[in-house]
Amino acid sequence: MAQTQTNRPDLHEDTGARSLPKSDRIKAAVSHAQEGVQDASAKLRDTALQTAERGVDQAQTIQGEFDSAVRRNPTLAVLGAMGVGVVLGLALNKRA
C-alpha cells in the first residue's frame, strides 16, 4: 500500500494545534519561517567569510610570486613597466 503522507513538517501534527486560534498558528508559522531565514543567512555569511579568506590567501600568494620575479629580473620588470606606461600614454593621448 502506498504512503500518502509527505515528509514535510506540518504545524498540525500536534492534535492540539488545530484547536489553537488562527492567529497563534500564523505566529507559529512566521516564527518557523524566521528561524529558517536566520539559519540560511548564517550559512551564507560563513560561506562568504571562507571565500573571502581564500581570496586573500591567493592574492598574497600571487603578490609573493610577483615580488620574487621582480627581484630575480629587475631589468625586465623596469622595461615591462615602461612598456605599459608607453602603451597607456599612447592610448590616452589618442582619446584626448
Side-chain angles (χ1 to χ4, degrees), residues 7 11 41 54 57 67 69 90 96:
N7 290 332
L11 294 175
S41 67
R54 276 189 256 134
D57 291 342
D67 289 345
L90 290 173

Side-chain angles (χ1 to χ4, degrees), residues 66-81:
F66 181 76
D67 289 345
S68 65
V70 168
R71 286 193 179 116
R72 283 191 309 261
N73 300 314
T75 305
L76 182 61
V78 169
L79 291 175

Side-chain angles (χ1 to χ4, degrees), residues 39-55:
D39 290 345
S41 67
K43 288 179 185 178
L44 181 61
R45 183 183 63 236
D46 292 343
T47 302
L49 287 173
Q50 291 173 355
T51 302
E53 288 173 0
R54 276 189 256 134

